[in-house]
Amino acid sequence: MALAAMVAAALAVAAPVEKAHAQGKSLTLCWAAWDPANALVELGKDFTAKSGIEMKYEFVPWTSYADRFLNELNTHSKLCDLIIGDSQWIGGSAENGHYVKLNEFFDKEGIKMDDFMPATVVGYSEWPKNTPNYWALPAMADAVGWTYRKDWFSRPEIQAEFKKKYNRDLAPPKTYEELKQIAEFFQGREIDGKKVYGAYIFTERGSEGITMGVTNVLYDYGFDYDNPKKSYEMEGFVNSEGAVKGLEFYKELYKCCTAPGMTNAYMSEGLDAFKSGQVAMQMNWFAFFPGLYKDPNVGGDKIGFFVNPGAKLHFTQLGGQGISVVSYSDKRDDALQYIKWFAQPAVQQKWWELGGYSALKAVVQAPGFAKSAPFAPDFLESMGIVKDFWAEPSYAELLLDMQKRVHDYVVADKGTAKEALDLLVKDWEKVFREDGKIN
């Protein structure tokens, strides 16, 4: 859709409907408490103006997001009419009847999944995977990316020293070996009278943090969740020679080039480390990059962005979520009306402009998209190479198993990388055996 048409449609969306207001209708949308949620609140004012349906929100911190809302779903609570649920929840939510299946609704309203980026359809909407069974509309596209101190990288004296040492220009890394070199170069260096560190990476153990970090490296070194030709056959794939090397690399990076005390750190700690000028490079989700770019201390010309580096292969960890109608809601028709509204190209364009990440091709493949934000090209490239964790109904057990095994090795110095991954295979085989997926 042309930009002028989008603007016109967006204005039309904002037209008030007084009659509906008088009915006193409302919907509650549940999600995590973070910057994109604030953008969604702003966007939702247009829906209320058009439909007369008041939007209420239940946002909780990421640290309690899964526990809180999975409990709401498992207890058949009527709190959430709409939920932006994590990608890994889709299997359990579909099989346990928590979400309304949307195929019939999509067909009726002319909403086509082909209009959205393929990775987001598979990641956020489909169960079983790679089948046309849809339980959510792609809502918040996201992936792991990196920020760096562009102002530090561009200083002539730092450039000269780096080139003398490594015989190449200091620039955003394309490979993990280059990233480690740069991280080692900055580690312990004094910049503007302050000691700084090379890189910030995820190490959190309690929820999903270290898994969402280490997988970026594991994928690139050859890790697979199972045999592509035989589902749930994990021996030789989870613990392959390449996977072992990838896990060893992540530990090397953690040991050589991170700030002291980062033993249980995830999203917010990374943002704090970057904003306070502690680190040269930071691993984090693209969702936070609009806010970082606006930061008065480290944003603007001081910040740069790059795609997750590669090794033998090139992937990055998928983040993001789809929006679903909760099956226990008494307001299903109104919730579906919100989904229909949210899927419109004009609304999706405004969602991007406010700081959300649209998955709609009409937005992200528009001619001007790459120039619409300094991180837009890297986001687009990243969404083309994403890979995700298990989305099985037992994903929580699978995740906690990986959290423990990887954290024990990387942070707590227990055993070898091979031993950690061998134990992970046994953990996961136990889960799938109990689920009846393997003998």
Side-chain angles (χ1 to χ4, degrees):
M1 181 183 285
L3 185 59
M6 283 186 173
V7 172
L11 291 172
V13 166
V17 181
E18 296 300 335
K19 184 179 178 182
H21 270 298
Q23 296 172 352
K25 290 184 175 183
S26 67
L27 289 169
T28 298
L29 189 155
C30 299
W31 199 15
W34 59 333
D35 287 352
N38 300 329
L40 193 70
V41 171
E42 187 63 30
L43 185 71
K45 293 175 183 177
D46 291 348
F47 174 74
T48 298
K50 182 187 181 215
S51 67
I53 299 170
E54 180 189 357
M55 291 304 298
K56 298 179 179 179
Y57 301 93
E58 188 74 17
F59 297 149
V60 300
W62 275 110
T63 48
S64 53
Y65 164 75
D67 286 345
R68 169 68 191 285
F69 291 130
L70 289 175
N71 182 60
E72 295 287 345
L73 294 173
N74 289 329
T75 59
H76 298 189
S77 161
K78 295 182 184 296
L79 170 69
C80 308
D81 302 303
L82 292 153
I83 191 164
I84 299 184
D86 232 350
S87 57
Q88 291 97 353
W89 302 1
I90 200 79
S93 295
E95 293 193 10
N96 294 317
H98 299 328
Y99 292 170
V100 173
K101 191 173 183 181
L102 296 173
N103 288 57
E104 189 177 322
F105 171 72
F106 285 167
D107 289 343
K108 177 187 170 189
E109 299 297 342
I111 297 171
K112 298 179 175 62
M113 289 293 97
D114 287 347
D115 291 341
F116 293 83
M117 288 188 284
T120 67
V121 176
V122 175
Y124 311 153
S125 302
E126 289 182 353
W127 188 262
K129 294 299 180 189
N130 300 303
T131 70
N133 294 280
Y134 307 119
W135 306 89
L137 182 86
M140 176 71 189
D142 203 4
V144 166
W146 289 77
T147 65
Y148 72 101
R149 288 299 299 266
K150 193 174 181 180
D151 54 337
W152 296 356
F153 275 51
S154 63
R155 292 188 183 186
E157 69 278 13
I158 289 179
Q159 283 271 354
E161 186 182 341
F162 184 87
K163 186 154 192 175
K164 183 178 179 182
K165 186 170 184 178
Y166 295 108
N167 197 32
R168 66 182 181 88
D169 291 333
L170 176 58
K174 298 290 187 186
T175 68
Y176 270 108
E177 288 302 330
E178 289 178 358
L179 183 136
K180 187 167 179 250
Q181 274 187 356
I182 295 169
E184 287 173 330
F185 177 77
F186 278 104
Q187 183 75 359
R189 180 173 293 272
E190 188 173 295
I191 294 181
D192 298 332
K194 182 178 180 180
K195 186 177 181 180
V196 303
Y197 301 93
Y200 172 85
I201 59 175
F202 299 158
T203 60
E204 182 267 351
R205 176 170 173 164
S207 61
E208 65 170 21
I210 198 165
T211 298
M212 294 295 103
V214 73
T215 47
N216 295 280
V217 182
L218 291 180
Y219 298 152
D220 289 351
Y221 279 78
F223 168 98
D224 268 313
Y225 287 101
D226 57 3
N227 184 346
K229 297 178 182 177
K230 187 177 180 183
S231 297
Y232 310 112
E233 181 180 276
M234 295 165 286
E235 181 66 41
F237 296 89
V238 168
N239 56 351
S240 66
E241 185 178 336
V244 170
K245 288 180 180 176
L247 184 53
E248 288 171 343
F249 179 91
Y250 199 80
K251 180 170 183 172
E252 289 170 13
L253 190 61
Y254 168 70
K255 293 292 185 183
C256 80
C257 307
T258 59
M262 290 290 182
T263 58
N264 190 37
Y266 194 19
M267 298 179 271
S268 59
E269 290 84 2
L271 297 172
D272 291 344
F274 195 81
K275 287 179 180 179
S276 62
Q278 287 185 56
V279 293
M281 299 178 291
Q282 175 211 195
M283 163 191 282
N284 222 318
W285 300 102
F286 273 91
F288 295 110
F289 293 1
L292 285 173
Y293 183 68
K294 294 174 185 172
D295 187 271
N297 298 317
V298 298
D301 293 339
K302 295 179 181 178
I303 193 172
F305 307 92
F306 61 92
V307 175
N308 192 57
K312 173 183 167 186
L313 303 166
H314 195 199
F315 294 101
T316 193
Q317 175 61 47
L318 179 71
Q321 302 87 31
I323 184 167
S324 300
V325 176
V326 178
S327 63
Y328 315 115
S329 167
D330 294 327
K331 305 170 183 177
R332 184 178 297 194
D333 288 345
D334 290 342
L336 289 169
Q337 189 177 339
Y338 183 94
I339 298 278
K340 178 183 176 182
W341 167 82
F342 187 72
Q344 295 174 88
V347 176
Q348 287 289 304
Q349 176 65 27
K350 189 169 182 182
W351 175 223
W352 166 247
E353 290 167 0
L354 288 171
Y357 279 81
S358 176
L360 190 69
K361 290 178 182 176
V363 175
V364 301
Q365 294 179 0
F369 180 81
K371 294 181 179 178
S372 64
F375 40 82
D378 295 318
F379 164 69
L380 209 51
E381 182 180 344
S382 297
M383 292 307 298
I385 58 169
V386 286
K387 204 168 179 176
D388 200 12
F389 189 77
W390 295 107
E392 295 281 332
S394 295
Y395 101 92
E397 294 168 69
L398 299 166
L399 182 58
L400 290 176
D401 287 339
M402 187 162 185
Q403 286 285 104
K404 172 178 168 49
R405 296 305 179 191
V406 172
H407 196 278
D408 279 356
Y409 169 69
V410 172
V411 178
D413 284 325
K414 293 182 181 177
T416 67
K418 179 72 164 62
E419 288 166 349
L421 294 175
D422 286 347
L423 288 167
L424 182 58
V425 170
K426 289 183 168 60
D427 292 338
W428 284 354
E429 285 176 343
K430 180 174 182 288
V431 172
F432 288 126
R433 199 171 289 116
E434 290 172 353
D435 286 351
K437 300 280 176 81
I438 59 174
N439 297 322

